[in-house]
Structure formats: structure tokens, C-alpha cells
Amino acid sequence: MTNSKKVLIIPCSGIGKPIGTVSRETTYEIIENLSKERAETVCLALLTSQDKDTMDKVKNNYVVTLDGCAKHCAKKNTEQCGKIPDKNYMILKFAAANPDKKPQGIIDIGISGKALVDTVSDTIIKDIDSLLKDGR
């Protein structure tokens, strides 16, 4: 039987912060280039405002949240809608574990920031594979 669920990647907003940009760029890399057919995203603001269609989508699919800081906005807003994320990642932990992969700015994260996006994306792709394979 084919799994009809998708994996929703919900990044933090992190507006004005390089790590927030990494969170969003990671999401775009996955949904546009690495896993188009299996992953998509929803707008965190719609989730926060409890938009019914967005909440239904979150409740009926797998969810991976990407948080940039200890406020855990993506995770907390997902939980507030009644869904425990299947996976939650703190982008700062990836940055700390990979000090040579540091975003260089907010708008343009540079080559080393892109390398961090690639590292995070590789991890999440494995989670997508696992979630969809397990079909839980």
C-alpha cells in the first residue's frame, strides 16, 4: 500500500537572523530540489493564526520542524495545533557542530552558510525516507 502522507517541513521565521535564513533555505532546498514529491511546507504565520486548512494539513501529515533558537516557535506552534512534530531540529546545534559552516549574512548566507544548508538537508532527507517508509 502506498503512503499518501507527505512530510511537512515547518521552518522558524527567524526574520533578521542568519540562522533563520538557514532554516528557510533548508526548507526550500528540500521541497524544491531534493524531495519535491514527498515534502512541502506550510506558512508558520497561518499555523500560528490557526488557519483551518493549514491545521488540517499539519494534523494529517508527518511534520519536521526547524527551529533557529531556543524559543522553538515552529515546534511550539505545531504542538499548539494538536500535533507533536515527528522530528524537531535546532539549527543552532548543526551550526555548533559544524563551525566551518557558518552563515555569512542574513540575505546572502554565503558559501559556508549554503554548506550548512546542505548538511541539515541531508539529515532531513534521511528522516523523510524513514517516516514515509515506516508509514507510522
Side-chain angles (χ1 to χ4, degrees):
M1 184 160 134
T2 305
N3 191 345
S4 63
K5 287 185 176 184
K6 285 196 170 196
V7 176
L8 299 179
I9 313 241
I10 304 176
C12 72
S13 295
I15 302 299
K17 298 178 180 144
I19 292 295
T21 303
V22 170
S23 175
R24 290 187 306 281
E25 290 294 324
T26 298
T27 300
Y28 302 143
E29 176 66 17
I30 292 167
I31 66 172
E32 293 174 1
N33 300 321
L34 301 177
S35 195
K36 287 182 189 181
E37 305 300 318
R38 305 176 308 150
E40 56 187 67
T41 191
V42 295
C43 174
L44 183 58
L46 287 175
L47 185 61
T48 301
S49 66
Q50 299 184 338
D51 174 76
K52 184 186 178 336
D53 292 338
T54 303
M55 290 178 66
D56 287 346
K57 194 176 225 182
V58 167
K59 288 177 184 176
N60 295 309
N61 287 285
Y62 303 109
V63 174
V64 174
T65 54
L66 305 179
D67 284 303
C69 71
K71 291 182 180 179
H72 297 280
C73 294
K75 181 181 180 212
K76 286 180 181 175
N77 281 287
T78 300
E79 290 172 345
Q80 197 166 24
C81 125
K83 172 77 173 189
I84 306 259
D86 296 282
K87 288 284 188 172
N88 170 257
Y89 287 105
M90 175 70 85
I91 302 300
L92 279 176
K93 288 184 179 179
F94 282 94
N98 297 278
D100 57 321
K101 299 176 182 178
K102 182 178 178 186
Q104 301 301 304
I106 298 166
I107 295 173
D108 181 1
I109 57 174
I111 293 170
S112 60
K114 176 64 175 128
L116 183 59
V117 166
D118 292 343
T119 297
V120 179
S121 296
D122 289 345
T123 299
I124 294 170
I125 287 295
K126 291 175 188 163
D127 288 335
I128 290 171
D129 293 342
S130 176
L131 287 168
L132 294 174
K133 179 182 173 194
D134 294 345
R136 54 182 176 99

